[in-house]
Amino acid sequence: KAARSYRTGHLSGNSAAGSEVREGARALYKLAKRFLDGKGVRQDHFKAVDWAARSSIKGYTPATLMLADCYSAGLGVPRDEKIALRCYRNAALRGDSRGAVEMSKRLLLLSRQENDEDKAKEARRWLHMTALDGDSEAACLLAYCWVNGTGGDQDAGEARRLFLQAATAENPSPDAQFQL
């Protein structure tokens, strides 16, 4: 069972197999990070992406974010915003606020480029959930959605409330502070 869990990347409960998979995924991520940054090894973005992908498959969210960033910037792979969007979505589905915010940014951009209101609505839903969790960047982006009516109604009062939330958060959004 432990070998099957490791091969499939299935992380179940607090089992020893799940713990081994998480530790293995973390080790793969650390190797990817070293190749990405060139720390202790010759910098090689291609190898960084390869090791990050192996870690991400095992469910390690920081590796999934690294992959998304690499695809977004074209580091070690051809630049591909669709793959970056999928990676950010996977991170968001694992509960990662940065993944949710980055995915929402791309959805908002696509909604404007493709005139697709459904993408704007999806971004707004993700930003709402993430802002509720206290993420100041999500609250600031959601405030802009309320200001512009992107993905839903316009409401200056709700926008102001969200800008205030973002500006006074533990890690305040400088953009939100500027809006007040």
Side-chain angles (χ1 to χ4, degrees), residues 66-120:
M66 180 190 286
L67 270 179
D69 294 342
C70 286
Y71 274 102
S72 184
L75 293 174
V77 290
R79 188 170 189 268
D80 191 326
E81 283 296 328
K82 289 184 180 184
I83 294 175
L85 176 63
R86 278 199 311 261
C87 291
Y88 287 127
R89 183 186 309 276
N90 286 340
L93 289 169
R94 293 180 193 152
D96 186 83
S97 61
R98 181 170 166 259
V101 169
E102 293 298 328
M103 176 190 63
S104 296
K105 288 178 184 177
R106 282 151 181 83
L107 286 171
L108 289 169
L109 179 63
L110 285 171
S111 76
R112 284 190 299 273
Q113 291 172 343
E114 300 171 2
N115 198 25
D116 185 344
E117 189 67 12
D118 288 338
K119 284 183 172 70

Side-chain angles (χ1 to χ4, degrees), residues 1-37:
K1 183 177 179 182
R4 186 178 71 234
S5 295
Y6 184 81
R7 279 195 310 272
T8 62
H10 180 69
L11 304 177
S12 58
N14 291 326
S15 69
S19 178
E20 289 173 20
V21 171
R22 279 188 295 279
E23 287 305 313
R26 184 177 297 129
L28 294 172
Y29 168 75
K30 286 181 179 180
L31 186 56
K33 185 90 171 107
R34 291 180 73 169
F35 277 112
L36 185 69
D37 298 337

